[in-house]
Amino acid sequence: MTHPLRLDPDRYFPSDATQRQIAGELFAHVETLPIVSPHGHTDPAWFAKNAPFEDAVSLLLWPDHYLLRMLMSVGVTLESIGIAPNDDAEYEKDRRVVWRRFAEHYRVFRATPSRLWLDHTFATVFGLDVRLEAATADLYYDTIKAKLAEPEFRPRALYERFNIEVIATTDTAIDPLHDHRAIRESGWGGRVIPTFRPDEVLDPDHADFFSSLEQLAILTGENVETWPGYLAALANRRAYFREHGATATDHGHATARTCCLGLGEAKQLYDRILLNRKNEGDGELFRAHMLIEMAKMSCDDGMVMQLHAGPWRNHNLQLYRRFGWHKGGDVPTATDYVHGLKPLLDKYGNDPKLTLILFTLDETAYSRELAPLAGIYPAVKLGPPWWFHDSPDGMLRFRRATTDTAGFYNTAGFNDDTRAFFSIPARHDLARRMDCVYLAELVATHRLEMEEAAELARDLAYNLAKRTYRL
Amino acid sequence: MTHPLRLDPDRYFPSDATQRQIAGELFAHVETLPIVSPHGHTDPAWFAKNAPFEDAVSLLLWPDHYLLRMLMSVGVTLESIGIAPNDDAEYEKDRRVVWRRFAEHYRVFRATPSRLWLDHTFATVFGLDVRLEAATADLYYDTIKAKLAEPEFRPRALYERFNIEVIATTDTAIDPLHDHRAIRESGWGGRVIPTFRPDEVLDPDHADFFSSLEQLAILTGENVETWPGYLAALANRRAYFREHGATATDHGHATARTCCLGLGEAKQLYDRILLNRKNEGDGELFRAHMLIEMAKMSCDDGMVMQLHAGPWRNHNLQLYRRFGWHKGGDVPTATDYVHGLKPLLDKYGNDPKLTLILFTLDETAYSRELAPLAGIYPAVKLGPPWWFHDSPDGMLRFRRATTDTAGFYNTAGFNDDTRAFFSIPARHDLARRMDCVYLAELVATHRLEMEEAAELARDLAYNLAKRTYRL
Amino acid sequence: MTHPLRLDPDRYFPSDATQRQIAGELFAHVETLPIVSPHGHTDPAWFAKNAPFEDAVSLLLWPDHYLLRMLMSVGVTLESIGIAPNDDAEYEKDRRVVWRRFAEHYRVFRATPSRLWLDHTFATVFGLDVRLEAATADLYYDTIKAKLAEPEFRPRALYERFNIEVIATTDTAIDPLHDHRAIRESGWGGRVIPTFRPDEVLDPDHADFFSSLEQLAILTGENVETWPGYLAALANRRAYFREHGATATDHGHATARTCCLGLGEAKQLYDRILLNRKNEGDGELFRAHMLIEMAKMSCDDGMVMQLHAGPWRNHNLQLYRRFGWHKGGDVPTATDYVHGLKPLLDKYGNDPKLTLILFTLDETAYSRELAPLAGIYPAVKLGPPWWFHDSPDGMLRFRRATTDTAGFYNTAGFNDDTRAFFSIPARHDLARRMDCVYLAELVATHRLEMEEAAELARDLAYNLAKRTYRL
């Protein structure tokens, strides 16, 4: 026995008739707007090479750490779904068997955003009309395999079908951006731009720090063994990224700490790091100082600065040791923005040249720290609910907690932040609907007029992302 | 003038017609399911002796620290409601007068869960149909007194009338479990099982630590003056509890800190404690290490491990000094699970033999820490909203904050956690209704199909508790 | 083109028909109750002199830091809206131009409480019926200017028109209270009472500490160079405030820390401060100790004690340097009440003579700390949602997070906490409506009876504020 898969046209809207009606009217204004995706993790090689995707397992399951983590948490081992460990333990090699295992456990995703995104993808991209479960696993596997072989399912065709206006990838500071160059030179009309993410070269505790520095020297011709040379190399790479279309940088830090060292102190700290004579705390100090250097460079070159603070990467140690990064083993930590960002904001918080977009995994910061900071510092804007909070309830909590103090116009619009290319329409559909739900609540309770809500719906779905990211 | 007391059949359901209809349909699937009560504080002597309860005051008021704390907070002294202080201050001895005083202040419980539980108890257990207030105080007192004298109000009869399938008590590690033995040997069909709660023998700062250790030695024949003997004694008691039906342990700690000491360090720490030569922090260190020893033993013997972290016991110092424990003087503290549990999870978080159920009084941890931990570590499951959060809104906040990341199948089902035996049906009724309310919200907004919600309603009301606690 | 401005009679009520109906019925009980305003920042000189207000800019824009901060955050400089910086930078001097600039940016306040308060003020106080925007800026400016010249718009006339029964101002400990005296002696029937706010004389880190001490000595004739003289001077001023009608004190502290020093320690600390030989931490220690001295004096003289803890004043350093205090540059910090208040509560938490009203900018404390403290200590009551949380959603979150544990009768009623005199009716209207919304939710879900809700609505709107503040 199977179950139908259908996307209700009123999905996510409240059941209250008044609000549902208003939400639907508002959504009609934004449903077909082009997708602006200013922050995410798609692979530029897809668009450069335009090769077909392989199958459901390698496309939809393996790269999606939301799926891996939930499956693990209910006792499904990664080996059993085909992920090879670093040791020589057995793992499942038959992808059809892997997909069946996933299908059998699909119920554990009930009411999670993963389920909503996947169902939307299955229905709208692949035309499936029955739910994924044990009984339909093979149908899914075969259908998806067949579709992926069609030309309409190549990356560029999907980019167009998804109505994407611009999409940003995320790239290390030492990425040569060959794929971005190839896309540009191909004559194809899609706009795929890089984002400058220099974590490896800013974080002396990163395993790849020294090798990345070497690469940085090679790519820029700067002498990174001196502090001025290091800064010049970074500025050089930022310029290179801008030449390739980048408008933004992105910084993934465990904390929001910033610190403004004097020139002498900064030099000495850099020397200690290069000589492998770090004192305790030097790593954190360097990262803290470098955020301010990055803000300074953003004032100079106009790149929008994003800060994703708070995750404890690879908290699940055994998982990390056996399977490496990006398997879902990260967890959030409490994050202090009010103290952490003070040194940066003292210098650049009021500078009209800086745009600093903040993200958090700690929802308690929404009303206590982030909305108040965005509501007073011209530089600060709030990124959309991130990661664990990118869900219907998470989005409503974000709006309800930030709008009183920061309003709508200090928020940065939506970004999908995903490597799951096929789910991008689902994610924007969900975000647009939830913003309409929030707006409908305001209109229905006479806190906002309908004509204002309609303008806001378009701003939140499209205009704010373009404007904030200077696209 | 009196006011009617009636339990609306749609109580707690949303007034929105669509959601109310769905919630009602879902609730019909679970309303009459047996009660599984895997964690609570009922007295096994009730079921062993099956003696009648006394009166409303000693049954419903005095043991309920929710009631005592609220009355105190609005200026009703404990003496005035018949609780004897340690000093020789006067206190009210006439129970009818005490009950009248409670009735006069019943309004201060408006919209609290205490009010919901009590009204349900009054109406369904005692058949009262007017509200408790000054004018009905005597009617209540007399009615309850008369009913309690009837055989149908004896503990075993109520166990059956309440449709309880299994109920767990909470017992210190040195409890001889005589009552549990007596229940088993009596031939009565009720299933009343102990839970191993070793706080007194794991916490060197506890006033009863040394006397409990002595008792531990006597009960087990182990030499608890050595570290291996101490561990063996604990393992011995765990086995004893399992023989008497226990499937779980429970740990009440002020923090969630865990720490993995080497054998030598642990021995030395234990020696310092025994010799009364504790350094500062040794108490916390020992508790932190012992949580890991308990996890290890759980992997060995299969007992489910519960951790109730966060309360500051007896924060109200004057109350504690004059009236002792369990008068409502505890308050929550912010609790850090992500750092605190890391050492334990490093060792056993991925071990399929361990089930670790986490509880919190710090709601900010739901979405930031607990759901992410449960959503990646196979061992971790989330206990239901605890104590101050065991309320309609508290339950909704829990589901809304955890489901996105942990789903439903990393939650442990409901437990009533109460010593108020008469309120157990009320508490399960409330919990089942609120889960149906949440599920109805998901169905009404097309995030879940009705047939899935019906299965989930049964899982949340019954199956998950049995499965998670290995009952 | 302009847009109509209308206040819907059902504004803020849920669109669900059942709840809207109930909320409306409840609101009818409280809509016309007199306003009790036990904490706020209006200027007593208004009522003493009864002079006309000037114009829209100086009355409604410049004193309102909610407006200034939001405008700044979206890039409108304070100079451009007529605020003079400390340096010699240019600033706009034409008030009509300033008002136009504000009107052009009015959209950034969409869905903020500022917008709700202003629209209510525009419509009900000034009779405006079109929305503020570029096209109506001049109409607004001229209308308001003309109205303010009429006798009905003088402070005393508005006090009466607003149906204010009593209003408390906030005054430094060294304020001679001339205006309050003049009001009393004028024979006018309005009740404008002072509140004793001694921050400057309790905070050794305050820029005005020493000059305030000198003034304190002059006003009281006490020798403030000795610890007993200092305490006597404070008691003297408290008595002076009480003679002028004060019933409460107010304390604005960065943290909730309290500390109980012995007499010798306190003396020595005070001496170090007077001699400018403070050790690190002495400022915080002194403030912490003085809160306990204030609680002691409250037990003696019956003044209700308010604690507003948590803001980081002037976080936006550049703003502070150029424009000074009260421009909106404060942000909240995480605040620990459970540890911080313990010493004070150990001494006076159970004292029936003390009423301590707590306010927070850290919502996470509602259910974790504040409701549990209010739910066990007779002295502790919860102030209404403060500052960034004084909004429809903020109010609902407050009730939903505190009622389970603290009930309604440990809350202190509403206070508007504003210097925006014209918005006082708007603020009470909003608060009364939102309490009715919460009560309607409880009634509609059968957690409360209608007749109880009606009583509660009146208590929350009127009785609790009078009772708690001993008015």
Side-chain angles (χ1 to χ4, degrees):
Chain A
M1 184 190 131
T2 64
H3 299 86
L5 170 65
R6 30 163 202 237
L7 301 184
D8 194 282
D10 283 340
R11 63 191 174 275
Y12 320 147
F13 295 162
S15 51
D16 174 79
T18 308
Q19 293 191 30
R20 175 163 290 203
Q21 163 71 19
I22 298 169
E25 273 185 50
L26 293 173
F27 185 62
H29 289 284
V30 299
E31 184 170 10
T32 60
L33 287 176
I35 285 176
V36 172
S37 176
H39 173 67
H41 298 271
T42 52
D43 186 345
W46 296 335
F47 307 105
K49 305 199 170 71
N50 203 30
F53 294 101
E54 203 175 1
D55 59 24
V57 168
S58 63
L59 175 66
L60 302 175
L61 174 58
W62 288 345
D64 190 333
H65 61 81
Y66 289 81
L67 303 183
L68 303 185
R69 60 180 289 132
M70 181 68 97
L71 290 170
M72 266 199 71
S73 76
V74 297
V76 179
T77 65
L78 294 192
E79 295 93 323
S80 77
I81 52 169
I83 315 256
N86 298 332
D87 51 38
D88 49 7
E90 290 286 302
Y91 63 97
E92 180 58 58
K93 301 207 178 57
D94 185 333
R95 294 193 182 181
R96 184 180 293 273
V97 171
V98 167
W99 186 255
R100 284 179 189 158
R101 195 154 287 140
F102 174 52
E104 282 157 21
H105 288 90
Y106 196 52
R107 73 172 59 191
V108 304
F109 295 98
R110 282 172 176 165
T112 67
S114 294
R115 164 74 180 270
L116 302 178
W117 297 325
L118 281 173
D119 278 358
H120 188 279
T121 305
F122 295 151
T124 67
V125 183
F126 294 107
L128 289 154
D129 59 6
V130 289
R131 193 191 303 160
L132 180 61
E133 56 195 311
T136 61
D138 282 358
L139 170 71
Y140 264 69
Y141 190 79
D142 294 332
T143 302
I144 292 170
K145 184 123 193 163
K147 293 275 190 189
L148 292 178
E150 297 174 14
E152 297 78 25
F153 286 77
R154 297 280 178 102
R156 291 183 180 182
L158 287 173
Y159 176 103
E160 283 150 19
R161 175 172 162 198
F162 292 167
N163 196 19
I164 296 173
E165 182 175 313
V166 54
I167 189 165
T169 62
T170 300
D171 313 87
T172 68
I174 54 172
D175 190 302
L177 304 182
H178 292 321
D179 289 317
H180 290 87
R181 176 166 304 244
I183 294 165
R184 292 207 153 192
E185 290 174 352
S186 74
W188 175 56
R191 186 173 173 200
V192 180
I193 60 176
T195 302
F196 182 72
R197 170 98 167 214
D199 296 355
E200 284 89 346
V201 294
L202 300 190
D203 177 5
D205 297 326
H206 197 287
D208 300 334
F209 178 69
F210 286 104
S211 63
S212 299
L213 277 197
E214 265 179 57
Q215 200 56 32
L216 188 65
I218 292 167
L219 285 166
T220 63
E222 298 287 347
N223 177 5
V224 303
E225 297 186 7
T226 72
W227 174 240
Y230 170 70
L231 294 180
L234 291 170
N236 176 308
R237 290 307 293 166
R238 293 172 65 108
Y240 186 82
F241 270 67
R242 283 199 311 289
E243 283 161 27
H244 288 75
T247 69
T249 73
D250 184 28
H251 306 273
H253 283 219
T255 75
R257 192 173 160 205
T258 63
C259 179
C260 189
L261 300 175
L263 178 59
E265 289 172 299
K267 270 183 176 171
Q268 286 168 22
L269 173 59
Y270 188 65
D271 288 346
R272 286 200 300 278
I273 287 165
L274 288 193
L275 295 168
N276 247 323
R277 292 194 185 150
K278 271 187 297 181
N279 299 324
E280 191 175 327
D282 271 357
E284 174 77 351
L285 193 64
F286 190 74
R287 292 188 292 273
H289 177 75
M290 286 311 298
L291 282 180
I292 295 190
E293 294 286 351
M294 288 294 107
K296 180 169 181 293
M297 290 189 196
S298 276
C299 289
D300 292 342
D301 65 19
M303 292 182 92
V304 171
M305 183 174 178
Q306 300 172 87
L307 178 60
H308 286 86
W312 181 327
R313 300 282 173 185
N314 301 309
H315 188 277
N316 191 322
L317 187 67
Q318 296 177 25
L319 174 66
Y320 171 64
R321 287 199 179 139
R322 297 194 62 227
F323 296 96
W325 283 76
H326 300 309
K327 294 298 176 289
D330 308 342
V331 297
T333 58
T335 311
D336 179 345
Y337 297 87
V338 166
H339 292 84
L341 294 174
K342 183 78 165 64
L344 189 154
L345 295 172
D346 279 350
K347 281 189 84 90
Y348 302 111
N350 297 299
D351 194 319
K353 295 192 295 298
L354 182 65
T355 296
L356 172 62
I357 304 176
L358 301 178
F359 296 82
T360 192
L361 297 178
D362 177 3
E363 290 187 299
T364 70
Y366 285 163
S367 73
R368 187 184 56 219
E369 306 188 9
L370 294 180
L373 291 173
I376 183 58
Y377 287 100
V380 176
K381 303 296 163 197
L382 301 186
W386 178 32
W387 203 336
F388 302 103
H389 307 300
D390 181 15
S391 64
D393 285 318
M395 290 173 182
L396 278 183
R397 285 200 296 272
F398 173 78
R399 290 286 177 211
R400 287 178 182 147
T402 62
T403 306
D404 290 339
T405 299
F408 292 103
Y409 292 102
N410 283 309
T411 63
F414 181 65
N415 57 66
D416 53 69
D417 193 8
T418 191
R419 64 197 78 234
F421 179 47
F422 280 64
S423 77
I424 286 178
R427 290 166 192 256
H428 286 260
D429 174 76
L430 176 58
R432 290 173 182 189
R433 287 173 180 270
M434 293 316 298
D435 277 333
C436 290
V437 167
Y438 178 64
L439 292 169
E441 184 176 292
L442 296 175
V443 171
T445 55
H446 304 289
R447 291 189 271 164
L448 196 68
E449 298 294 331
M450 189 63 189
E451 132 273 341
E452 299 180 284
E455 185 179 288
L456 278 165
R458 289 186 295 268
D459 287 340
L460 300 180
Y462 180 79
N463 294 322
L464 275 171
K466 279 187 81 165
R467 193 183 311 157
T468 313
Y469 282 87
R470 305 181 183 177
L471 290 166
Chain B
M1 185 191 130
T2 65
H3 299 87
L5 170 65
R6 27 161 205 239
L7 301 185
D8 195 282
D10 283 340
R11 62 189 175 278
Y12 320 147
F13 295 162
S15 51
D16 174 79
T18 308
Q19 293 192 30
R20 174 163 292 204
Q21 164 72 21
I22 297 169
E25 274 185 49
L26 294 173
F27 185 61
H29 289 284
V30 298
E31 184 169 11
T32 61
L33 287 177
I35 285 176
V36 172
S37 176
H39 173 67
H41 298 272
T42 52
D43 186 345
W46 296 335
F47 307 105
K49 304 197 171 72
N50 204 31
F53 294 102
E54 203 175 1
D55 60 23
V57 168
S58 64
L59 175 66
L60 301 175
L61 175 57
W62 287 345
D64 190 332
H65 61 80
Y66 289 80
L67 303 183
L68 302 185
R69 62 180 290 132
M70 182 68 97
L71 289 170
M72 266 200 71
S73 76
V74 297
V76 179
T77 65
L78 294 193
E79 295 93 323
S80 76
I81 52 169
I83 315 255
N86 298 331
D87 51 39
D88 49 7
E90 290 285 302
Y91 64 97
E92 181 57 59
K93 301 208 178 55
D94 185 333
R95 293 194 182 179
R96 184 179 292 274
V97 171
V98 168
W99 185 256
R100 283 179 190 158
R101 196 154 285 139
F102 174 51
E104 282 158 20
H105 288 91
Y106 196 52
R107 75 173 57 194
V108 304
F109 295 98
R110 282 172 176 164
T112 67
S114 293
R115 164 74 180 270
L116 303 178
W117 297 326
L118 281 173
D119 278 358
H120 189 279
T121 303
F122 295 151
T124 66
V125 183
F126 294 107
L128 289 154
D129 60 5
V130 289
R131 195 192 301 162
L132 181 61
E133 56 194 311
T136 60
D138 283 357
L139 170 71
Y140 265 69
Y141 190 78
D142 294 331
T143 302
I144 291 170
K145 183 126 193 159
K147 293 275 191 191
L148 291 178
E150 296 174 13
E152 297 78 27
F153 285 78
R154 298 279 177 101
R156 291 185 180 181
L158 288 173
Y159 176 102
E160 284 151 17
R161 175 170 161 198
F162 291 168
N163 196 19
I164 296 174
E165 182 174 314
V166 55
I167 190 166
T169 62
T170 300
D171 312 271
T172 68
I174 54 172
D175 190 303
L177 305 181
H178 292 322
D179 290 318
H180 290 88
R181 177 166 303 245
I183 295 166
R184 291 209 154 191
E185 290 173 353
S186 73
W188 174 57
R191 186 173 174 200
V192 180
I193 60 175
T195 301
F196 183 73
R197 171 97 169 216
D199 295 356
E200 284 90 345
V201 294
L202 299 191
D203 177 5
D205 296 327
H206 197 287
D208 301 334
F209 178 69
F210 286 103
S211 62
S212 299
L213 276 197
E214 264 177 58
Q215 200 56 32
L216 189 64
I218 292 167
L219 285 166
T220 62
E222 297 287 349
N223 177 6
V224 303
E225 296 187 9
T226 72
W227 173 241
Y230 170 70
L231 294 180
L234 291 171
N236 176 309
R237 290 307 294 165
R238 293 172 65 108
Y240 185 82
F241 270 68
R242 284 200 310 288
E243 284 160 25
H244 287 75
T247 68
T249 73
D250 184 30
H251 305 273
H253 282 218
T255 75
R257 192 175 159 203
T258 63
C259 179
C260 190
L261 301 175
L263 179 59
E265 289 172 299
K267 270 183 175 171
Q268 286 168 22
L269 173 58
Y270 188 65
D271 288 345
R272 286 200 301 278
I273 288 165
L274 288 193
L275 295 168
N276 246 322
R277 292 195 185 150
K278 271 186 297 183
N279 298 324
E280 194 176 326
D282 271 357
E284 174 78 352
L285 194 64
F286 190 74
R287 292 188 293 274
H289 177 74
M290 286 311 298
L291 282 180
I292 294 190
E293 294 287 350
M294 288 294 106
K296 180 169 181 292
M297 291 190 196
S298 277
C299 289
D300 293 342
D301 65 19
M303 292 181 92
V304 170
M305 184 173 177
Q306 300 172 87
L307 178 60
H308 286 86
W312 182 328
R313 300 282 173 183
N314 302 308
H315 188 277
N316 190 323
L317 186 67
Q318 297 178 25
L319 174 65
Y320 171 64
R321 287 198 179 142
R322 296 195 62 228
F323 296 95
W325 283 75
H326 301 308
K327 294 297 176 291
D330 309 341
V331 298
T333 58
T335 310
D336 178 345
Y337 297 87
V338 166
H339 293 83
L341 294 174
K342 182 77 165 67
L344 189 155
L345 295 172
D346 279 350
K347 280 189 86 87
Y348 301 112
N350 298 299
D351 194 318
K353 296 192 295 299
L354 181 65
T355 296
L356 172 63
I357 304 176
L358 300 178
F359 297 82
T360 192
L361 297 178
D362 177 2
E363 291 187 299
T364 70
Y366 285 164
S367 73
R368 186 185 58 220
E369 306 187 10
L370 294 180
L373 291 173
I376 182 58
Y377 288 100
V380 176
K381 303 296 162 196
L382 302 186
W386 178 32
W387 202 337
F388 302 104
H389 308 300
D390 180 16
S391 65
D393 286 318
M395 290 173 183
L396 278 183
R397 287 201 293 271
F398 172 78
R399 289 285 177 212
R400 287 178 182 147
T402 63
T403 306
D404 291 338
T405 298
F408 293 102
Y409 292 103
N410 284 308
T411 63
F414 180 63
N415 58 66
D416 52 69
D417 194 7
T418 192
R419 64 197 78 236
F421 179 47
F422 280 64
S423 78
I424 286 178
R427 288 165 193 257
H428 286 261
D429 174 76
L430 175 58
R432 290 173 182 188
R433 285 173 182 272
M434 294 315 299
D435 277 332
C436 290
V437 167
Y438 179 62
L439 292 169
E441 185 177 293
L442 296 175
V443 172
T445 54
H446 304 288
R447 291 188 271 163
L448 195 68
E449 297 295 330
M450 189 64 188
E451 132 273 339
E452 299 180 284
E455 185 180 288
L456 278 165
R458 288 186 296 267
D459 287 340
L460 300 179
Y462 180 79
N463 295 322
L464 275 170
K466 280 186 81 165
R467 193 183 310 158
T468 312
Y469 282 88
R470 305 182 184 176
L471 290 166
Chain C
M1 183 190 130
T2 66
H3 299 86
L5 170 64
R6 31 164 200 236
L7 301 185
D8 194 282
D10 284 338
R11 63 190 174 277
Y12 320 146
F13 295 162
S15 52
D16 173 78
T18 308
Q19 293 192 30
R20 174 163 291 203
Q21 163 72 19
I22 298 169
E25 274 185 50
L26 294 173
F27 185 62
H29 290 284
V30 299
E31 183 168 13
T32 60
L33 287 176
I35 285 177
V36 172
S37 176
H39 173 68
H41 298 271
T42 52
D43 185 345
W46 295 335
F47 307 105
K49 306 198 170 74
N50 203 31
F53 295 101
E54 202 175 3
D55 60 22
V57 167
S58 64
L59 175 66
L60 301 176
L61 175 58
W62 287 345
D64 191 331
H65 60 81
Y66 288 81
L67 303 183
L68 303 185
R69 62 180 289 133
M70 181 68 97
L71 290 170
M72 265 201 69
S73 76
V74 298
V76 179
T77 65
L78 293 193
E79 294 93 323
S80 77
I81 52 169
I83 315 257
N86 299 331
D87 51 38
D88 51 5
E90 290 286 304
Y91 64 97
E92 181 58 59
K93 300 206 179 56
D94 185 334
R95 294 194 183 178
R96 184 179 294 274
V97 171
V98 168
W99 186 256
R100 283 179 189 157
R101 196 154 286 140
F102 174 52
E104 281 158 21
H105 288 91
Y106 196 53
R107 73 173 56 193
V108 304
F109 295 98
R110 282 171 176 164
T112 66
S114 293
R115 164 73 181 271
L116 302 179
W117 298 325
L118 282 172
D119 278 357
H120 188 279
T121 304
F122 295 151
T124 66
V125 184
F126 295 107
L128 289 154
D129 61 4
V130 289
R131 193 191 303 161
L132 180 62
E133 56 195 311
T136 60
D138 283 357
L139 170 70
Y140 264 69
Y141 190 79
D142 295 331
T143 303
I144 291 170
K145 184 126 193 162
K147 294 274 190 189
L148 291 178
E150 298 175 14
E152 297 78 28
F153 286 78
R154 297 281 177 100
R156 292 185 180 181
L158 288 172
Y159 176 101
E160 284 150 19
R161 175 173 161 196
F162 291 168
N163 195 20
I164 296 174
E165 182 174 312
V166 54
I167 191 166
T169 62
T170 300
D171 314 271
T172 68
I174 54 171
D175 191 302
L177 304 182
H178 292 321
D179 289 318
H180 290 88
R181 177 165 302 244
I183 295 167
R184 292 208 152 190
E185 291 174 352
S186 73
W188 174 57
R191 186 174 174 199
V192 180
I193 60 176
T195 300
F196 183 72
R197 170 96 170 217
D199 295 355
E200 285 88 345
V201 293
L202 300 190
D203 176 6
D205 297 327
H206 197 288
D208 299 335
F209 178 70
F210 286 105
S211 62
S212 300
L213 276 197
E214 264 178 57
Q215 200 56 34
L216 187 65
I218 293 166
L219 285 167
T220 63
E222 298 286 349
N223 177 6
V224 303
E225 296 187 8
T226 72
W227 174 240
Y230 171 68
L231 294 180
L234 291 171
N236 177 306
R237 289 308 292 166
R238 293 172 66 108
Y240 186 82
F241 270 68
R242 283 200 309 290
E243 283 160 27
H244 288 75
T247 70
T249 73
D250 184 29
H251 305 273
H253 283 217
T255 75
R257 190 173 160 206
T258 64
C259 178
C260 189
L261 300 176
L263 179 59
E265 288 172 300
K267 270 182 176 171
Q268 286 168 22
L269 174 58
Y270 189 64
D271 288 346
R272 286 201 300 278
I273 287 165
L274 288 193
L275 295 167
N276 248 321
R277 291 195 186 150
K278 271 186 297 182
N279 299 324
E280 193 176 327
D282 271 357
E284 173 77 352
L285 193 64
F286 190 73
R287 292 188 293 273
H289 177 75
M290 286 312 297
L291 282 180
I292 294 190
E293 293 287 350
M294 288 294 107
K296 180 168 180 294
M297 291 189 195
S298 276
C299 289
D300 292 342
D301 65 18
M303 293 182 90
V304 170
M305 183 173 177
Q306 300 172 87
L307 178 60
H308 286 86
W312 182 328
R313 301 281 173 184
N314 302 309
H315 188 277
N316 191 322
L317 187 67
Q318 296 177 27
L319 174 65
Y320 172 65
R321 287 198 179 142
R322 297 194 62 227
F323 295 95
W325 283 76
H326 302 308
K327 294 297 176 291
D330 309 340
V331 297
T333 58
T335 310
D336 179 345
Y337 297 87
V338 165
H339 292 82
L341 294 174
K342 183 76 166 67
L344 189 156
L345 295 172
D346 279 350
K347 280 188 86 86
Y348 302 111
N350 298 298
D351 194 319
K353 296 192 295 300
L354 181 65
T355 296
L356 172 63
I357 305 176
L358 301 178
F359 297 82
T360 192
L361 296 177
D362 177 3
E363 291 187 298
T364 69
Y366 285 163
S367 73
R368 186 184 58 219
E369 307 188 10
L370 294 179
L373 292 174
I376 182 58
Y377 288 100
V380 175
K381 303 296 162 198
L382 301 186
W386 178 33
W387 200 337
F388 302 104
H389 306 300
D390 181 15
S391 65
D393 285 318
M395 290 173 183
L396 279 183
R397 286 201 295 270
F398 173 77
R399 289 285 177 212
R400 287 178 183 148
T402 62
T403 306
D404 291 338
T405 297
F408 292 103
Y409 291 103
N410 284 308
T411 62
F414 180 65
N415 58 65
D416 52 69
D417 194 8
T418 191
R419 64 197 78 237
F421 179 46
F422 280 64
S423 77
I424 285 179
R427 289 167 193 254
H428 287 261
D429 175 75
L430 176 58
R432 290 174 182 187
R433 286 173 181 272
M434 293 316 297
D435 277 332
C436 290
V437 167
Y438 178 62
L439 292 168
E441 184 177 292
L442 296 175
V443 171
T445 55
H446 304 288
R447 291 188 271 164
L448 195 68
E449 298 294 332
M450 189 63 188
E451 133 272 341
E452 298 179 285
E455 186 180 287
L456 278 164
R458 288 187 296 268
D459 286 340
L460 301 179
Y462 180 79
N463 295 321
L464 275 170
K466 279 186 83 166
R467 194 182 310 157
T468 312
Y469 281 88
R470 306 181 184 177
L471 290 165

